[in-house]
Amino acid sequence: MKEFLTNSLFFGVVLTFAAYEIGLLLKRKVKLAICNPLLMAAVIIIGVLLALDVDYETYNAGAGYISYFLTPATVSLAIPLYRQLTLLKKYPLAIFAGITAGVLTAMISILCVSLLFGLDHRQYVTLLPKSITTAIGMGMSEKMGGIVTLTVVSICITGILGNVTADTVLRIAKINEPVARGLAIGTSSHALGTTRAMEMGEVEGAMSSLSIVVAGVLTVIAASVFANFI
């Protein structure tokens, strides 16, 4: 039975969708932030792979097809942005200043943590793209000599944490303005965080979508400078 399942072309796809559906069910039942569907799906998938002694390559042979939907899903984020284009025209300086501040904060925090824990250059540049979308982050990490697989892990963890903790952090910081909320989420936790921003409201989702693109470009520029500090 195990060999039949793992050798099936659609094993990874079925497992991924099933794990996510279970995560959604847990979220509806428990209603706790920690029961985020993305986080729960990751835990379930890891548990199943360990239980069946299935390696990642076998799982990804089928699950990898899901990645083909990443590009159109990302492009579709432009729809809420288009609907809120008036806000972009009304507050251009404030919006771009906010995103720039977020990118610089990410760079400086990674630098400080790397110095604190004595990371070498390769480990340091591996973490620099952690707050941007995977497609850009992987290319950055590879070009700077980082460990691409660990970069992907750091990006995923950052996105999941942003998705799970966004409400709590914004509430503690007393950030109630929809534009500011969306910019903060998108700049710090890319597409995974944006899914939570879109649940908060259309304005939050639009600003978060904008942040993904702008933060990605600014991070590429900033990282080329910060990469020389260690």
Side-chain angles (χ1 to χ4, degrees):
M1 182 66 176
K2 171 189 169 183
E3 292 184 0
F4 172 76
L5 288 175
T6 56
N7 290 332
S8 173
L9 182 62
F10 300 104
F11 168 72
V13 176
V14 173
L15 175 59
T16 302
F17 281 116
Y20 187 73
E21 287 298 324
I22 294 174
L24 288 175
L25 179 62
L26 287 174
K27 177 66 175 180
R28 287 194 293 265
K29 293 292 184 181
V30 182
K31 296 181 179 179
L32 293 176
I34 192 62
C35 292
N36 179 271
L38 294 172
L39 178 60
M40 292 297 100
V43 172
I44 293 170
I45 291 171
I46 292 173
V48 171
L49 295 182
L50 290 175
L52 295 179
D53 192 25
V54 178
D55 57 48
Y56 174 76
E57 287 72 21
T58 301
Y59 159 75
N60 194 50
Y65 290 109
I66 299 176
S67 63
Y68 289 116
F69 296 98
L70 180 61
T71 299
T74 303
V75 172
S76 68
L77 295 175
I79 296 175
L81 175 60
Y82 176 76
R83 292 175 178 171
Q84 301 296 330
L85 198 57
T86 53
L87 287 176
L88 179 58
K89 294 178 179 179
K90 188 175 182 180
Y91 308 110
L93 293 178
I95 289 174
F96 286 102
I99 298 174
T100 301
V103 169
L104 291 177
T105 299
M107 295 287 106
I108 293 172
S109 64
I110 295 168
L111 174 61
C112 292
V113 170
S114 298
L115 291 173
L116 179 63
F117 289 95
L119 302 186
D120 59 28
H121 175 77
R122 190 183 187 198
Q123 295 166 335
Y124 168 58
V125 297
T126 294
L127 297 177
L128 280 179
K130 74 174 183 63
S131 294
I132 59 176
T133 185
T134 306
I136 301 176
M138 290 175 64
M140 275 185 58
S141 178
E142 183 177 9
K143 186 175 182 180
M144 294 187 297
I147 307 170
V148 178
T149 52
L150 291 183
T151 297
V152 174
V153 172
S154 67
I155 290 173
C156 291
I157 292 175
T158 300
I160 291 175
L161 287 176
N163 189 297
V164 172
T165 64
D167 285 319
T168 302
V169 173
L170 292 174
R171 184 170 60 253
I172 292 175
K174 296 182 180 180
I175 300 176
N176 301 312
E177 170 59 44
V179 173
R181 289 161 67 89
L183 293 176
I185 295 173
T187 303
S188 61
S189 50
H190 50 84
L192 292 180
T194 298
T195 60
R196 182 68 192 98
M198 297 183 77
E199 293 174 359
M200 294 179 178
E202 189 169 356
V203 174
E204 288 90 336
M207 293 300 103
S208 188
S209 300
L210 172 66
S211 299
I212 295 176
V213 179
V214 178
V217 174
L218 292 179
T219 298
V220 171
I221 298 172
S224 64
V225 177
F226 276 82
N228 300 312
F229 293 166
I230 293 182

